[in-house]
Amino acid sequence: YVGACVLLNAAGRFRDPDAMEEQPELNPIIKSISSAIQRFVIACSFVYTKQPLRIEQILRQVYPIDGSNVDSELVQSIQTPALEDSASEVFYRVITKNGAGPQAYVDDILKELECPVLLAWGESDPWIKSAAADKMERLHAEFHGNNVGGENGSKWIERASIDAGHCPHDEAPEAVNDAILRFLDGALGI
């Protein structure tokens, strides 16, 4: 049983209504060469990306409102897992969106949710723009109706706009905690 769901700057793919269901299969030789080149480029990128100065530079982009949490401890906490043997493969799969199993689309997940949802959104996120939250709200309303505050049942969505970037829980923890507590009070009476 899931009583409520909190999403912090949720990422994911949306279904493309104009996309063809089946893509034509590429020539196996072209596919292999393309994959090898892609792997090489991403591997080189990973060597650069996991350097402490690059990690700090990226963090300063995603903490646009209050960068005071971007310190050597945070940089090291991100770099340490990047030094593991399997890290380059994980990086490759994230970049190529090539995980195991079938693709899960945001649309499908929202449609199946049977509980209240909070979108706690860092509105200044340079990576996952607030337009993604707008789309999630529209899709949720399309699937479950405009069920503001649960007036027609448990399938409702609420958005908390947080003055933060990609990591609102770290950049503005008080605002995120307040939003979650208000949401849980409304959703579960906690």
Side-chain angles (χ1 to χ4, degrees), residues 110-111 113 115-117 135-147 154-157:
L110 285 174
K111 192 174 193 174
L113 278 175
C115 65
V117 177
K135 186 167 185 174
M136 287 180 193
E137 287 180 300
R138 281 193 311 276
L139 285 169
H140 194 277
E142 185 180 307
F143 299 141
H144 305 295
N146 286 323
N147 193 10
S154 64
K155 297 178 185 179
W156 52 277
I157 193 165

Side-chain angles (χ1 to χ4, degrees), residues 115-183:
C115 65
V117 177
L118 171 65
L119 299 176
W121 213 269
E123 296 293 337
S124 296
D125 187 341
W127 290 349
I128 306 172
K129 304 291 186 190
S130 59
D134 297 341
K135 186 167 185 174
M136 287 180 193
E137 287 180 300
R138 281 193 311 276
L139 285 169
H140 194 277
E142 185 180 307
F143 299 141
H144 305 295
N146 286 323
N147 193 10
V148 179
E151 58 197 31
N152 297 323
S154 64
K155 297 178 185 179
W156 52 277
I157 193 165
E158 177 182 318
R159 179 162 168 188
S161 294
I162 309 294
D163 188 24
H166 187 68
C167 303
H169 53 288
D170 193 32
E171 192 174 9
E174 296 84 11
V176 171
N177 289 341
D178 288 346
I180 291 171
L181 290 172
R182 275 192 314 275
F183 169 72

Side-chain angles (χ1 to χ4, degrees), residues 18-169:
D18 300 326
M20 297 184 306
E21 285 299 316
E22 289 191 31
Q23 300 292 334
E25 195 64 31
L26 290 176
N27 176 315
I29 295 171
I30 292 173
K31 188 175 178 179
S32 295
I33 292 170
S34 175
S35 179
I37 291 169
Q38 184 182 44
R39 272 193 179 276
F40 176 74
V41 169
I42 291 173
C44 292
S45 171
F46 182 63
V47 169
Y48 172 65
T49 301
K50 69 180 182 178
Q51 300 305 312
L53 288 175
R54 179 62 181 145
I55 293 170
E56 182 178 351
Q57 182 183 36
I58 292 168
L59 287 170
R60 297 228 176 261
Q61 291 173 7
V62 298
Y63 283 70
I65 305 301
D66 179 5
S68 64
N69 285 344
V70 178
D71 58 15
S72 59
E73 183 181 354
L74 180 60
V75 170
Q76 186 177 0
S77 74
I78 292 171
Q79 185 191 32
T80 299
L83 301 175
E84 295 289 327
D85 292 340
S86 62
S88 61
E89 180 64 20
V90 171
F91 185 76
Y92 171 78
R93 288 181 183 216
V94 167
I95 296 297
T96 60
K97 296 177 177 75
N98 185 15
Q103 174 68 52
Y105 292 98
V106 173
D107 316 49
D108 300 336
I109 294 167
L110 285 174
K111 192 174 193 174
E112 293 175 17
L113 278 175
E114 299 283 335
C115 65
V117 177
L118 171 65
L119 299 176
W121 213 269
E123 296 293 337
S124 296
D125 187 341
W127 290 349
I128 306 172
K129 304 291 186 190
S130 59
D134 297 341
K135 186 167 185 174
M136 287 180 193
E137 287 180 300
R138 281 193 311 276
L139 285 169
H140 194 277
E142 185 180 307
F143 299 141
H144 305 295
N146 286 323
N147 193 10
V148 179
E151 58 197 31
N152 297 323
S154 64
K155 297 178 185 179
W156 52 277
I157 193 165
E158 177 182 318
R159 179 162 168 188
S161 294
I162 309 294
D163 188 24
H166 187 68
C167 303
H169 53 288

